[in-house]
């Protein structure tokens, strides 16, 4: 039971390739007001200062776009999340894009340096690129690599400048703990759109992915039991949910990188509720709602609100 749930809003969208995710948290709040939900009035809402002014300037970091700004965001989120956890609060993070999730992990690890942290990554994408492997330079594809403290030089395709390397090393070391998680303590759900370099490192590290077909074949109850067994040595768990894990035809295209054949909203709900019921879960994060891309007039935010309400109700039981 978590009485003190605090919503932490991060509107920075500097790591995404498309624009508009900074409006995602407000779109969710707008959906709550439209619905008559008091969820954001009954729980505290805190905000992280965003770095979106960097979108109005060119970035010199071709293979790690706006990494200088992201380093500041990592530090801010690290400090805020660790402080909330130290005060026995439950951080429920609503972020614009997924690039800042490594800062969340840094904050959790700072609060619990001696505890083993498990990560449930629910996403269409693996988000384990590095500046050496990225095809785009967009850093929302790199947060897990920062938490794992990996470079994946074996699959290197980019010649990265020294300044980027220095910033990348600082990013990996935010909180002065590296690595922050072990590969055997990561579980992917619904990942289905990856590049060769990501496939190489996830196979080398033996990171488990549950494709949508396997989730449906086994059933969510069985999948959750398997995950609990796999992470049985972990003391605490962080759940990171990208809305593109859901099928855009069943929700909307209101996210930066939609991928077909994803989870249904009900499946997403059941997974998140199951994780909210797990006493090891200490933090959740939901990312990548983009109302500017929504083909159904804020439907993605409305679907996401339903998920947030279900999780919050479960956490408070």
């Amino acid at each position: 039971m978590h009485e003190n749930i605090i919503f932490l809003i991060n509107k920075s969208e500097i790591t995404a390739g498309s624009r508009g995710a900074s409006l995602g948290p407000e779109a969710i709040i707008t959906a709550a007001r439209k619905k008559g939900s008091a969820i954001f009035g009954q729980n505290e809402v805190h905000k992280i200062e965003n770095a979106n002014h960097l979108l109005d300037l060119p970035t010199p970091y071709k293979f790690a776009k706006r990494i200088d700004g992201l380093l500041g965001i990592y530090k801010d989120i690290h400090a805020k999340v660790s402080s909330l956890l130290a005060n026995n609060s439950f951080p429920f993070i609503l972020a614009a894009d997924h690039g800042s999730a490594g800062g969340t992990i840094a904050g959790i690890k700072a609060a619990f340096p001696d505890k083993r942290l498990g990560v449930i990554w629910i996403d269409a994408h693996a988000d384990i690129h590095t500046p050496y492997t990225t095809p785009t330079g967009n850093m929302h594809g790199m947060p897990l690599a920062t938490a794992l403290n990996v470079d994946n030089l074996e699959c290197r395709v980019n010649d990265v400048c020294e300044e980027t390397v220095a910033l990348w090393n600082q990013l990996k070391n935010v909180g002065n703990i590296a690595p922050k998680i072990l590969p055997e303590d990561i579980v992917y759900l619904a990942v289905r759109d990856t590049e060769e370099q990501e496939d190489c490192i996830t196979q080398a590290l033996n990171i488990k992915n549950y494709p949508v077909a396997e989730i449906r074949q086994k059933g969510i109850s069985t999948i959750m039991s398997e995950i609990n067994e796999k992470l049985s040595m972990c003391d605490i768990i962080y759940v990171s949910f990208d809305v593109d894990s859901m099928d855009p035809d069943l929700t909307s295209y209101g996210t930066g990188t939609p991928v077909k054949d994803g989870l249904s909203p009900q499946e997403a709900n059941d997974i998140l509720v199951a994780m909210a019921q797990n006493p090891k879960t200490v933090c959740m994060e939901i990312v990548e709602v983009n109302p500017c891309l929504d083909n159904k007039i804020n439907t993605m935010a409305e679907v996401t609100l339903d998920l947030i309400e279900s999780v919050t109700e479960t956490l408070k039981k």
Side-chain angles (χ1 to χ4, degrees):
M1 181 175 181
H2 296 276
E3 288 290 347
N4 196 25
I5 297 170
I6 294 181
F7 289 105
L8 181 57
I9 293 179
N10 169 26
K11 295 184 181 180
S12 291
E13 61 167 289
I14 63 172
T15 72
S18 58
R19 301 281 69 85
S22 62
L23 303 174
E26 289 296 340
I28 296 169
I29 292 172
T30 297
R33 291 168 178 163
K34 176 183 176 183
K35 185 178 181 180
S37 170
I39 191 169
F40 297 111
Q42 294 171 341
N43 299 281
E44 286 188 52
V45 178
H46 297 187
K47 296 182 180 181
I48 295 288
E49 186 175 351
N50 73 70
N52 291 330
H53 64 280
L54 293 175
L55 296 169
D56 302 320
L57 301 167
T59 175
Y61 309 109
K62 179 179 179 182
F63 300 116
K65 294 174 182 176
R66 304 174 191 88
I67 189 173
D68 49 344
L70 183 59
L71 180 58
I73 293 168
Y74 260 48
K75 291 177 179 178
D76 288 349
I77 292 178
H78 157 268
K80 187 64 176 179
V81 169
S82 60
S83 175
L84 291 175
L85 289 169
N87 287 309
N88 296 315
S89 297
F90 186 97
F92 199 148
I93 300 157
L94 306 181
D97 57 43
H98 220 164
S100 60
T104 304
I105 293 172
I108 298 170
K109 193 63 179 176
F112 305 109
D114 299 322
K115 293 187 182 295
R116 186 165 165 179
L117 173 59
V119 173
I120 310 294
W121 200 265
I122 310 166
D123 199 322
H125 308 91
D127 292 349
I128 199 169
H129 270 298
T130 76
Y132 304 99
T133 66
T134 176
T136 64
N138 296 327
M139 296 203 70
H140 66 167
M142 305 185 198
L144 277 177
T146 70
L148 286 163
N149 193 33
V150 296
D151 296 327
N152 197 12
L153 295 178
E154 295 80 3
C155 298
R156 181 176 187 157
V157 294
N158 301 323
D159 292 323
V160 183
C161 70
E162 290 184 6
E163 188 175 358
T164 297
V165 172
L167 288 166
W168 174 247
N169 288 332
Q170 289 181 60
L171 200 65
K172 292 185 295 179
N173 282 281
V174 167
N176 298 315
I177 300 174
K180 298 168 180 67
I181 53 175
L182 302 173
E184 58 265 36
D185 296 336
I186 300 172
V187 178
Y188 284 133
L189 284 88
V191 170
R192 58 196 184 279
D193 184 17
T194 58
E195 281 80 39
E196 179 182 351
Q197 294 84 3
E198 291 182 298
D199 294 338
C200 178
I201 192 169
T202 54
Q203 290 169 13
L205 297 177
N206 196 29
I207 297 176
K208 172 63 179 174
N209 177 40
Y210 284 98
V212 174
E214 184 176 354
I215 293 171
R216 289 177 180 159
Q217 178 188 8
K218 291 182 174 179
I220 289 170
S221 178
T222 298
I223 295 294
M224 291 297 107
S225 295
E226 290 184 10
I227 290 174
N228 288 338
E229 176 62 27
K230 178 173 175 55
L231 301 184
S232 60
M233 299 302 292
C234 293
D235 304 297
I236 54 176
I237 291 174
Y238 157 65
V239 180
S240 198
F241 180 84
D242 189 322
V243 299
D244 70 22
S245 62
M246 296 184 288
D247 193 313
D249 291 333
L250 300 177
T251 52
S252 81
Y253 283 72
T255 187
T257 48
V259 183
K260 288 179 179 291
D261 301 320
L263 299 168
S264 71
Q266 186 61 55
E267 289 165 336
N269 182 86
D270 292 348
I271 291 167
L272 290 175
V273 166
M275 292 313 306
Q277 291 170 336
N278 190 326
K280 291 184 178 182
T281 302
V282 298
C283 178
M284 283 196 177
E285 185 157 8
I286 292 183
V287 305
E288 298 279 0
V289 172
N290 189 331
C292 290
L293 302 176
D294 202 312
N295 61 318
K296 297 180 183 177
I297 313 176
N298 213 35
T299 293
M300 185 65 84
E302 292 173 352
V303 170
T304 303
L305 172 65
D306 290 341
L307 299 177
I308 293 168
E309 288 182 316
S310 291
V311 168
T312 302
E313 180 181 349
T314 302
L315 287 170
K316 291 198 171 188
K317 285 182 179 177

